Amino acid sequence: MVTGVVVASSAMHAGWGFWPATAWSVCVGFMIKMSFAAAAQKLIGQPLARSTAVRRLVGVDKVEIRAIEMILSQRSMTVPKVAILIGGPDWPVAVLCGLLKLDLMPILASIAPVLFQSVIPCVCSGALLVARDPKIKALGDSMLALAGALQGVAGLLAGYYIQEKIEKHFDELTVSRTKDVDVVRLAQESAAAETRYKAMTSWDALPCPMKSCILLGVIIQEACLFVLAGPWSSIFGEKAKCFKKFSLIDSVRDDLGGNPFAIVLPLGEVALGTFAFGCLLLTIFYIWAKVHTRQVEGTPTETSSESGTPSD
């Protein structure tokens, strides 16, 4: 949608007609989608196929991901394969294609129907928002609803075919694989580390300064929301607004005088400053928690290594 707004608007400002500008926006949006899929597969998934951390992030040991592997490994362009590549999330599907070292061109060919399923409706919905003709402009919301419906259908189809594969091959998919042993071990270690972290940062275990950081940070964040969401303009007038009215189809040059920061009004500066201070307090707590957890975890190791050293 943003591609349709930005690219189509720029093209029309350059003297293009609405339909040529929209067609160019569709081309740009399609190239972005295909380029990302190719980059995720060839520049992330394939080079890092042996990385335990990346494979754990993808979830190669999970039943659902293993079912997706079976579908993607099919050589021909099948409906389930297209549904997964279009309806599934770019992460981890595109990276998974690289981990499996699949050929790029068949994968891009299977992704190509996204042009009609998502790219054209989304880009057109954005382009229609910047159309000069009011009759055409009114179709923007309808195109956006159509894009959402088509994406929902693709997601449902992907989920259906994944579940179908799981039911047919459940015993095979639940058997542990030798190549996933390191991923399972890393997941167990991460879960254990998270449990220790939660225990060490529980409220009763925290020192008073850190409790103060959390409480003050939360209070300040809530105060920021109170300033941003309060009906101050209705009570005190237009001067009590946090931001100037600005939408995707507005121009920074024409509506903000060329200064993008002019969108923030004085009350908005107060809200953003409050938010930044609250973030600072919470960041201090999280840094302390990480350092404290590492120190506590490292203490027994150092002690045991010293006690295990033979004396002369």
mmCIF file of all heavy atoms in Angstrom, residues 229-272:
data_model
loop_
_atom_site.group_PDB
_atom_site.id
_atom_site.type_symbol
_atom_site.label_atom_id
_atom_site.label_comp_id
_atom_site.label_asym_id
_atom_site.label_seq_id
_atom_site.Cartn_x
_atom_site.Cartn_y
_atom_site.Cartn_z
ATOM 1 N N ALA A 229 -3.325 10.137 24.499
ATOM 2 C CA ALA A 229 -4.679 9.661 24.234
ATOM 3 C C ALA A 229 -5.769 10.528 24.851
ATOM 4 O O ALA A 229 -6.949 10.322 24.559
ATOM 5 C CB ALA A 229 -4.832 8.221 24.740
ATOM 6 N N GLY A 230 -5.387 11.475 25.677
ATOM 7 C CA GLY A 230 -6.395 12.300 26.340
ATOM 8 C C GLY A 230 -7.128 13.230 25.375
ATOM 9 O O GLY A 230 -6.569 13.655 24.359
ATOM 10 N N PRO A 231 -8.388 13.571 25.685
ATOM 11 C CA PRO A 231 -9.181 14.448 24.797
ATOM 12 C C PRO A 231 -8.871 15.926 25.014
ATOM 13 O O PRO A 231 -9.771 16.739 25.211
ATOM 14 C CB PRO A 231 -10.618 14.096 25.205
ATOM 15 C CG PRO A 231 -10.508 13.760 26.657
ATOM 16 C CD PRO A 231 -9.173 13.105 26.847
ATOM 17 N N TRP A 232 -7.588 16.264 24.987
ATOM 18 C CA TRP A 232 -7.193 17.620 25.364
ATOM 19 C C TRP A 232 -7.649 18.651 24.345
ATOM 20 O O TRP A 232 -7.985 19.783 24.730
ATOM 21 C CB TRP A 232 -5.672 17.683 25.542
ATOM 22 C CG TRP A 232 -5.142 16.564 26.375
ATOM 23 C CD1 TRP A 232 -4.219 15.634 26.028
ATOM 24 C CD2 TRP A 232 -5.537 16.231 27.713
ATOM 25 N NE1 TRP A 232 -3.997 14.735 27.042
ATOM 26 C CE2 TRP A 232 -4.792 15.077 28.093
ATOM 27 C CE3 TRP A 232 -6.445 16.771 28.629
ATOM 28 C CZ2 TRP A 232 -4.932 14.479 29.338
ATOM 29 C CZ3 TRP A 232 -6.586 16.168 29.875
ATOM 30 C CH2 TRP A 232 -5.838 15.055 30.223
ATOM 31 N N SER A 233 -7.659 18.295 23.063
ATOM 32 C CA SER A 233 -8.088 19.271 22.050
ATOM 33 C C SER A 233 -9.567 19.604 22.190
ATOM 34 O O SER A 233 -9.983 20.733 21.898
ATOM 35 C CB SER A 233 -7.800 18.730 20.645
ATOM 36 O OG SER A 233 -8.491 17.503 20.432
ATOM 37 N N SER A 234 -10.356 18.654 22.652
ATOM 38 C CA SER A 234 -11.786 18.923 22.851
ATOM 39 C C SER A 234 -12.026 19.827 24.047
ATOM 40 O O SER A 234 -13.000 20.573 24.096
ATOM 41 C CB SER A 234 -12.548 17.600 23.050
ATOM 42 O OG SER A 234 -12.369 16.754 21.938
ATOM 43 N N ILE A 235 -11.104 19.758 25.008
ATOM 44 C CA ILE A 235 -11.270 20.555 26.232
ATOM 45 C C ILE A 235 -10.616 21.922 26.102
ATOM 46 O O ILE A 235 -11.220 22.958 26.440
ATOM 47 C CB ILE A 235 -10.675 19.787 27.433
ATOM 48 C CG1 ILE A 235 -11.402 18.446 27.615
ATOM 49 C CG2 ILE A 235 -10.775 20.624 28.709
ATOM 50 C CD1 ILE A 235 -10.791 17.558 28.675
ATOM 51 N N PHE A 236 -9.383 21.936 25.588
ATOM 52 C CA PHE A 236 -8.601 23.173 25.576
ATOM 53 C C PHE A 236 -8.420 23.767 24.178
ATOM 54 O O PHE A 236 -7.783 24.819 24.046
ATOM 55 C CB PHE A 236 -7.224 22.922 26.191
ATOM 56 C CG PHE A 236 -7.290 22.421 27.601
ATOM 57 C CD1 PHE A 236 -7.008 21.093 27.884
ATOM 58 C CD2 PHE A 236 -7.649 23.258 28.644
ATOM 59 C CE1 PHE A 236 -7.059 20.611 29.181
ATOM 60 C CE2 PHE A 236 -7.705 22.781 29.945
ATOM 61 C CZ PHE A 236 -7.418 21.455 30.218
ATOM 62 N N GLY A 237 -8.940 23.100 23.135
ATOM 63 C CA GLY A 237 -8.820 23.640 21.792
ATOM 64 C C GLY A 237 -7.687 23.030 20.992
ATOM 65 O O GLY A 237 -6.996 22.104 21.442
ATOM 66 N N GLU A 238 -7.472 23.563 19.795
ATOM 67 C CA GLU A 238 -6.503 23.015 18.857
ATOM 68 C C GLU A 238 -5.069 23.075 19.374
ATOM 69 O O GLU A 238 -4.226 22.261 18.999
ATOM 70 C CB GLU A 238 -6.594 23.756 17.513
ATOM 71 C CG GLU A 238 -7.904 23.537 16.768
ATOM 72 C CD GLU A 238 -8.067 22.111 16.318
ATOM 73 O OE1 GLU A 238 -7.075 21.508 15.874
ATOM 74 O OE2 GLU A 238 -9.193 21.581 16.431
ATOM 75 N N LYS A 239 -4.770 24.035 20.242
ATOM 76 C CA LYS A 239 -3.401 24.164 20.734
ATOM 77 C C LYS A 239 -3.003 23.016 21.653
ATOM 78 O O LYS A 239 -1.817 22.845 21.950
ATOM 79 C CB LYS A 239 -3.246 25.491 21.487
ATOM 80 C CG LYS A 239 -3.382 26.714 20.592
ATOM 81 C CD LYS A 239 -3.154 27.989 21.380
ATOM 82 C CE LYS A 239 -3.256 29.218 20.475
ATOM 83 N NZ LYS A 239 -3.038 30.473 21.226
ATOM 84 N N ALA A 240 -3.968 22.251 22.121
ATOM 85 C CA ALA A 240 -3.678 21.145 23.035
ATOM 86 C C ALA A 240 -3.434 19.833 22.296
ATOM 87 O O ALA A 240 -3.370 18.778 22.916
ATOM 88 C CB ALA A 240 -4.821 20.975 24.029
ATOM 89 N N LYS A 241 -3.296 19.870 20.985
ATOM 90 C CA LYS A 241 -3.000 18.659 20.234
ATOM 91 C C LYS A 241 -1.517 18.320 20.326
ATOM 92 O O LYS A 241 -0.669 19.197 20.480
ATOM 93 C CB LYS A 241 -3.388 18.827 18.763
ATOM 94 C CG LYS A 241 -4.883 18.778 18.504
ATOM 95 C CD LYS A 241 -5.163 18.805 17.007
ATOM 96 C CE LYS A 241 -6.654 18.616 16.725
ATOM 97 N NZ LYS A 241 -6.947 18.616 15.281
ATOM 98 N N CYS A 242 -1.216 17.029 20.224
ATOM 99 C CA CYS A 242 0.181 16.590 20.271
ATOM 100 C C CYS A 242 0.842 16.653 18.896
ATOM 101 O O CYS A 242 2.044 16.921 18.792
ATOM 102 C CB CYS A 242 0.266 15.163 20.811
ATOM 103 S SG CYS A 242 -0.187 14.988 22.537
ATOM 104 N N PHE A 243 0.067 16.398 17.839
ATOM 105 C CA PHE A 243 0.623 16.352 16.489
ATOM 106 C C PHE A 243 -0.318 17.049 15.512
ATOM 107 O O PHE A 243 -1.538 17.092 15.724
ATOM 108 C CB PHE A 243 0.841 14.903 16.032
ATOM 109 C CG PHE A 243 1.665 14.078 16.970
ATOM 110 C CD1 PHE A 243 1.064 13.188 17.849
ATOM 111 C CD2 PHE A 243 3.042 14.202 16.993
ATOM 112 C CE1 PHE A 243 1.816 12.429 18.724
ATOM 113 C CE2 PHE A 243 3.812 13.453 17.865
ATOM 114 C CZ PHE A 243 3.198 12.565 18.741
ATOM 115 N N LYS A 244 0.274 17.562 14.459
ATOM 116 C CA LYS A 244 -0.527 18.114 13.372
ATOM 117 C C LYS A 244 -1.180 16.976 12.591
ATOM 118 O O LYS A 244 -0.657 15.858 12.547
ATOM 119 C CB LYS A 244 0.349 18.939 12.427
ATOM 120 C CG LYS A 244 0.866 20.236 13.022
ATOM 121 C CD LYS A 244 1.676 21.002 11.992
ATOM 122 C CE LYS A 244 2.193 22.322 12.573
ATOM 123 N NZ LYS A 244 3.020 23.064 11.589
ATOM 124 N N LYS A 245 -2.304 17.246 11.997
ATOM 125 C CA LYS A 245 -2.983 16.250 11.191
ATOM 126 C C LYS A 245 -2.173 16.006 9.920
ATOM 127 O O LYS A 245 -1.874 16.926 9.168
ATOM 128 C CB LYS A 245 -4.392 16.730 10.837
ATOM 129 C CG LYS A 245 -5.225 15.679 10.121
ATOM 130 C CD LYS A 245 -6.630 16.180 9.851
ATOM 131 C CE LYS A 245 -7.460 15.136 9.129
ATOM 132 N NZ LYS A 245 -8.850 15.613 8.840
ATOM 133 N N PHE A 246 -1.809 14.747 9.700
ATOM 134 C CA PHE A 246 -0.975 14.394 8.547
ATOM 135 C C PHE A 246 -1.250 12.944 8.192
ATOM 136 O O PHE A 246 -1.280 12.076 9.064
ATOM 137 C CB PHE A 246 0.508 14.575 8.883
ATOM 138 C CG PHE A 246 1.420 14.493 7.692
ATOM 139 C CD1 PHE A 246 1.649 15.606 6.904
ATOM 140 C CD2 PHE A 246 2.039 13.297 7.367
ATOM 141 C CE1 PHE A 246 2.497 15.527 5.804
ATOM 142 C CE2 PHE A 246 2.877 13.211 6.278
ATOM 143 C CZ PHE A 246 3.106 14.332 5.495
ATOM 144 N N SER A 247 -1.480 12.670 6.911
ATOM 145 C CA SER A 247 -1.786 11.311 6.469
ATOM 146 C C SER A 247 -0.798 10.876 5.400
ATOM 147 O O SER A 247 0.089 11.644 4.987
ATOM 148 C CB SER A 247 -3.216 11.228 5.926
ATOM 149 O OG SER A 247 -3.336 11.984 4.736
ATOM 150 N N LEU A 248 -0.959 9.643 4.929
ATOM 151 C CA LEU A 248 -0.057 9.098 3.912
ATOM 152 C C LEU A 248 -0.077 9.892 2.614
ATOM 153 O O LEU A 248 0.911 9.931 1.882
ATOM 154 C CB LEU A 248 -0.433 7.638 3.622
ATOM 155 C CG LEU A 248 0.079 6.585 4.602
ATOM 156 C CD1 LEU A 248 -0.510 5.232 4.251
ATOM 157 C CD2 LEU A 248 1.590 6.520 4.608
ATOM 158 N N ILE A 249 -1.208 10.512 2.329
ATOM 159 C CA ILE A 249 -1.326 11.214 1.046
ATOM 160 C C ILE A 249 -0.970 12.701 1.169
ATOM 161 O O ILE A 249 -1.058 13.431 0.186
ATOM 162 C CB ILE A 249 -2.748 11.063 0.478
ATOM 163 C CG1 ILE A 249 -3.792 11.642 1.439
ATOM 164 C CG2 ILE A 249 -3.057 9.616 0.188
ATOM 165 C CD1 ILE A 249 -5.204 11.622 0.902
ATOM 166 N N ASP A 250 -0.591 13.147 2.379
ATOM 167 C CA ASP A 250 -0.173 14.536 2.547
ATOM 168 C C ASP A 250 1.285 14.702 2.137
ATOM 169 O O ASP A 250 2.037 13.728 2.029
ATOM 170 C CB ASP A 250 -0.374 14.982 3.997
ATOM 171 C CG ASP A 250 -1.849 15.094 4.363
ATOM 172 O OD1 ASP A 250 -2.653 15.362 3.455
ATOM 173 O OD2 ASP A 250 -2.195 14.907 5.548
ATOM 174 N N SER A 251 1.677 15.949 1.950
ATOM 175 C CA SER A 251 3.033 16.252 1.479
ATOM 176 C C SER A 251 3.815 16.960 2.580
ATOM 177 O O SER A 251 3.310 17.904 3.200
ATOM 178 C CB SER A 251 2.968 17.135 0.228
ATOM 179 O OG SER A 251 4.235 17.656 -0.094
ATOM 180 N N VAL A 252 5.052 16.510 2.811
ATOM 181 C CA VAL A 252 5.917 17.166 3.790
ATOM 182 C C VAL A 252 6.232 18.590 3.337
ATOM 183 O O VAL A 252 6.250 19.524 4.136
ATOM 184 C CB VAL A 252 7.216 16.352 3.993
ATOM 185 C CG1 VAL A 252 8.189 17.115 4.892
ATOM 186 C CG2 VAL A 252 6.905 14.990 4.582
ATOM 187 N N ARG A 253 6.417 18.758 2.041
ATOM 188 C CA ARG A 253 6.759 20.077 1.513
ATOM 189 C C ARG A 253 5.586 21.044 1.614
ATOM 190 O O ARG A 253 5.757 22.192 2.062
ATOM 191 C CB ARG A 253 7.207 19.955 0.050
ATOM 192 C CG ARG A 253 7.613 21.277 -0.595
ATOM 193 C CD ARG A 253 7.974 21.064 -2.044
ATOM 194 N NE ARG A 253 6.852 20.472 -2.783
ATOM 195 C CZ ARG A 253 6.957 20.033 -4.035
ATOM 196 N NH1 ARG A 253 8.106 20.092 -4.663
ATOM 197 N NH2 ARG A 253 5.894 19.514 -4.636
ATOM 198 N N ASP A 254 4.401 20.586 1.249
ATOM 199 C CA ASP A 254 3.246 21.485 1.211
ATOM 200 C C ASP A 254 2.560 21.644 2.563
ATOM 201 O O ASP A 254 2.114 22.731 2.920
ATOM 202 C CB ASP A 254 2.224 20.984 0.182
ATOM 203 C CG ASP A 254 2.807 20.939 -1.223
ATOM 204 O OD1 ASP A 254 3.736 21.733 -1.498
ATOM 205 O OD2 ASP A 254 2.348 20.111 -2.035
ATOM 206 N N ASP A 255 2.477 20.553 3.327
ATOM 207 C CA ASP A 255 1.707 20.592 4.572
ATOM 208 C C ASP A 255 2.557 20.849 5.809
ATOM 209 O O ASP A 255 2.021 21.269 6.842
ATOM 210 C CB ASP A 255 0.954 19.265 4.750
ATOM 211 C CG ASP A 255 -0.040 19.020 3.625
ATOM 212 O OD1 ASP A 255 -1.027 19.764 3.543
ATOM 213 O OD2 ASP A 255 0.186 18.100 2.827
ATOM 214 N N LEU A 256 3.859 20.583 5.736
ATOM 215 C CA LEU A 256 4.726 20.779 6.893
ATOM 216 C C LEU A 256 5.842 21.778 6.614
ATOM 217 O O LEU A 256 6.759 21.917 7.425
ATOM 218 C CB LEU A 256 5.327 19.437 7.332
ATOM 219 C CG LEU A 256 4.339 18.356 7.782
ATOM 220 C CD1 LEU A 256 5.078 17.075 8.144
ATOM 221 C CD2 LEU A 256 3.503 18.826 8.961
ATOM 222 N N GLY A 257 5.772 22.459 5.490
ATOM 223 C CA GLY A 257 6.787 23.462 5.177
ATOM 224 C C GLY A 257 8.154 22.876 4.921
ATOM 225 O O GLY A 257 9.165 23.567 5.103
ATOM 226 N N GLY A 258 8.215 21.607 4.526
ATOM 227 C CA GLY A 258 9.502 20.979 4.239
ATOM 228 C C GLY A 258 10.216 20.422 5.452
ATOM 229 O O GLY A 258 11.279 19.818 5.312
ATOM 230 N N ASN A 259 9.655 20.604 6.631
ATOM 231 C CA ASN A 259 10.281 20.121 7.861
ATOM 232 C C ASN A 259 9.447 18.986 8.446
ATOM 233 O O ASN A 259 8.366 19.217 8.997
ATOM 234 C CB ASN A 259 10.401 21.250 8.880
ATOM 235 C CG ASN A 259 11.033 20.787 10.191
ATOM 236 O OD1 ASN A 259 11.665 19.734 10.232
ATOM 237 N ND2 ASN A 259 10.862 21.565 11.241
ATOM 238 N N PRO A 260 9.914 17.737 8.365
ATOM 239 C CA PRO A 260 9.101 16.621 8.868
ATOM 240 C C PRO A 260 8.857 16.685 10.363
ATOM 241 O O PRO A 260 7.865 16.155 10.860
ATOM 242 C CB PRO A 260 9.912 15.377 8.478
ATOM 243 C CG PRO A 260 11.308 15.877 8.284
ATOM 244 C CD PRO A 260 11.187 17.272 7.782
ATOM 245 N N PHE A 261 9.773 17.349 11.106
ATOM 246 C CA PHE A 261 9.610 17.433 12.560
ATOM 247 C C PHE A 261 8.560 18.457 12.965
ATOM 248 O O PHE A 261 8.176 18.522 14.137
ATOM 249 C CB PHE A 261 10.947 17.779 13.218
ATOM 250 C CG PHE A 261 12.000 16.726 13.016
ATOM 251 C CD1 PHE A 261 13.025 16.923 12.100
ATOM 252 C CD2 PHE A 261 11.949 15.528 13.707
ATOM 253 C CE1 PHE A 261 13.995 15.948 11.896
ATOM 254 C CE2 PHE A 261 12.914 14.550 13.515
ATOM 255 C CZ PHE A 261 13.932 14.762 12.609
ATOM 256 N N ALA A 262 8.077 19.239 12.002
ATOM 257 C CA ALA A 262 7.039 20.216 12.307
ATOM 258 C C ALA A 262 5.712 19.550 12.646
ATOM 259 O O ALA A 262 4.791 20.207 13.131
ATOM 260 C CB ALA A 262 6.856 21.169 11.120
ATOM 261 N N ILE A 263 5.610 18.264 12.409
ATOM 262 C CA ILE A 263 4.387 17.549 12.751
ATOM 263 C C ILE A 263 4.187 17.469 14.262
ATOM 264 O O ILE A 263 3.066 17.304 14.750
ATOM 265 C CB ILE A 263 4.417 16.129 12.128
ATOM 266 C CG1 ILE A 263 3.026 15.497 12.160
ATOM 267 C CG2 ILE A 263 5.418 15.243 12.830
ATOM 268 C CD1 ILE A 263 2.956 14.171 11.437
ATOM 269 N N VAL A 264 5.274 17.606 15.022
ATOM 270 C CA VAL A 264 5.202 17.497 16.480
ATOM 271 C C VAL A 264 4.921 18.875 17.071
ATOM 272 O O VAL A 264 5.685 19.825 16.873
ATOM 273 C CB VAL A 264 6.512 16.933 17.059
ATOM 274 C CG1 VAL A 264 6.381 16.737 18.570
ATOM 275 C CG2 VAL A 264 6.873 15.621 16.388
ATOM 276 N N LEU A 265 3.834 18.991 17.821
ATOM 277 C CA LEU A 265 3.468 20.221 18.512
ATOM 278 C C LEU A 265 4.047 20.214 19.926
ATOM 279 O O LEU A 265 4.553 19.181 20.387
ATOM 280 C CB LEU A 265 1.940 20.342 18.546
ATOM 281 C CG LEU A 265 1.265 20.441 17.166
ATOM 282 C CD1 LEU A 265 -0.258 20.435 17.306
ATOM 283 C CD2 LEU A 265 1.733 21.671 16.415
ATOM 284 N N PRO A 266 4.019 21.352 20.637
ATOM 285 C CA PRO A 266 4.636 21.416 21.980
ATOM 286 C C PRO A 266 4.180 20.305 22.929
ATOM 287 O O PRO A 266 5.000 19.700 23.624
ATOM 288 C CB PRO A 266 4.221 22.798 22.485
ATOM 289 C CG PRO A 266 4.111 23.608 21.244
ATOM 290 C CD PRO A 266 3.578 22.690 20.198
ATOM 291 N N LEU A 267 2.886 20.028 22.973
ATOM 292 C CA LEU A 267 2.416 18.960 23.856
ATOM 293 C C LEU A 267 2.946 17.604 23.397
ATOM 294 O O LEU A 267 3.226 16.718 24.225
ATOM 295 C CB LEU A 267 0.888 18.938 23.888
ATOM 296 C CG LEU A 267 0.257 17.989 24.912
ATOM 297 C CD1 LEU A 267 0.691 18.359 26.330
ATOM 298 C CD2 LEU A 267 -1.268 18.016 24.810
ATOM 299 N N GLY A 268 3.119 17.429 22.093
ATOM 300 C CA GLY A 268 3.713 16.200 21.574
ATOM 301 C C GLY A 268 5.165 16.063 21.992
ATOM 302 O O GLY A 268 5.637 14.953 22.262
ATOM 303 N N GLU A 269 5.887 17.171 22.057
ATOM 304 C CA GLU A 269 7.274 17.128 22.512
ATOM 305 C C GLU A 269 7.349 16.673 23.964
ATOM 306 O O GLU A 269 8.242 15.910 24.354
ATOM 307 C CB GLU A 269 7.913 18.504 22.346
ATOM 308 C CG GLU A 269 8.055 18.944 20.890
ATOM 309 C CD GLU A 269 8.618 20.343 20.769
ATOM 310 O OE1 GLU A 269 8.796 20.994 21.830
ATOM 311 O OE2 GLU A 269 8.889 20.784 19.642
ATOM 312 N N VAL A 270 6.397 17.143 24.774
ATOM 313 C CA VAL A 270 6.341 16.707 26.173
ATOM 314 C C VAL A 270 6.095 15.204 26.244
ATOM 315 O O VAL A 270 6.747 14.474 27.006
ATOM 316 C CB VAL A 270 5.248 17.478 26.938
ATOM 317 C CG1 VAL A 270 5.069 16.901 28.339
ATOM 318 C CG2 VAL A 270 5.584 18.954 26.997
ATOM 319 N N ALA A 271 5.147 14.717 25.437
ATOM 320 C CA ALA A 271 4.811 13.289 25.445
ATOM 321 C C ALA A 271 5.987 12.443 24.988
ATOM 322 O O ALA A 271 6.310 11.413 25.605
ATOM 323 C CB ALA A 271 3.595 13.042 24.555
ATOM 324 N N LEU A 272 6.662 12.867 23.916
ATOM 325 C CA LEU A 272 7.794 12.099 23.404
ATOM 326 C C LEU A 272 8.971 12.131 24.380
ATOM 327 O O LEU A 272 9.670 11.133 24.549
ATOM 328 C CB LEU A 272 8.217 12.641 22.038
ATOM 329 C CG LEU A 272 7.211 12.450 20.899
ATOM 330 C CD1 LEU A 272 7.736 13.083 19.617
ATOM 331 C CD2 LEU A 272 6.921 10.975 20.680
#
